[in-house]
Amino acid sequence: MASQALILNGAGTHLSQLIGNWFADAGLRPEPRISLDYNDAIKNLVGAGYGSTLLPHEEGALLSDQRVVTRPLDPPLWRELGMAYRQGEHEPATAYLLQALFSLQQQ
């Protein structure tokens, strides 16, 4: 992957730091050809042949360009996610989801 022309998120993003560390673990420090912070735009540039990218896998998301192919990373790249929600009353579906997530935290 390091030998490819890379299109990556901007240097100030958490994803960029994760990717930089992932490459550094293999002793590599590739420089992106293009840096921007819009994943859909990155995917379009990849589809147009400007380079390759590393982006989070979006389960079930359809690729808008048939020329784009996805592959898992080896070794895998892992990142921690957070949860943002509004305080106060929630609609039933939101309340159910929050309850399920908080019950996982208790395990």
Side-chain angles (χ1 to χ4, degrees):
M1 192 72 195
S3 66
Q4 302 292 312
L6 295 173
I7 305 167
L8 300 175
N9 286 101
T13 66
H14 183 66
L15 183 57
S16 176
Q17 294 168 4
L18 284 172
I19 291 169
N21 291 338
W22 184 78
F23 278 118
D25 288 346
L28 303 168
R29 192 170 181 250
E31 291 294 323
R33 171 187 277 180
I34 301 171
S35 295
L36 66 152
D37 295 332
Y38 299 99
N39 291 351
D40 287 336
I42 291 173
K43 291 175 195 176
N44 288 333
L45 289 170
V46 169
Y50 286 95
S52 299
T53 192
L54 295 163
L55 291 173
H57 176 70
E58 298 167 342
E59 190 70 38
L62 298 175
L63 293 172
S64 60
D65 192 318
Q66 304 299 349
R67 299 170 294 179
V68 176
V69 178
T70 63
R71 298 282 183 259
L73 296 176
D74 186 22
L77 180 60
W78 180 88
R79 72 178 181 166
E80 186 173 336
L81 298 176
M83 179 174 62
Y85 60 95
R86 184 187 68 216
Q87 291 289 344
E89 289 291 315
H90 298 103
E91 294 185 10
T94 303
Y96 182 80
L97 175 64
L98 289 172
Q99 181 182 21
L101 292 172
F102 285 127
S103 71
L104 291 173
Q105 184 181 19
Q106 303 301 320
Q107 294 179 7

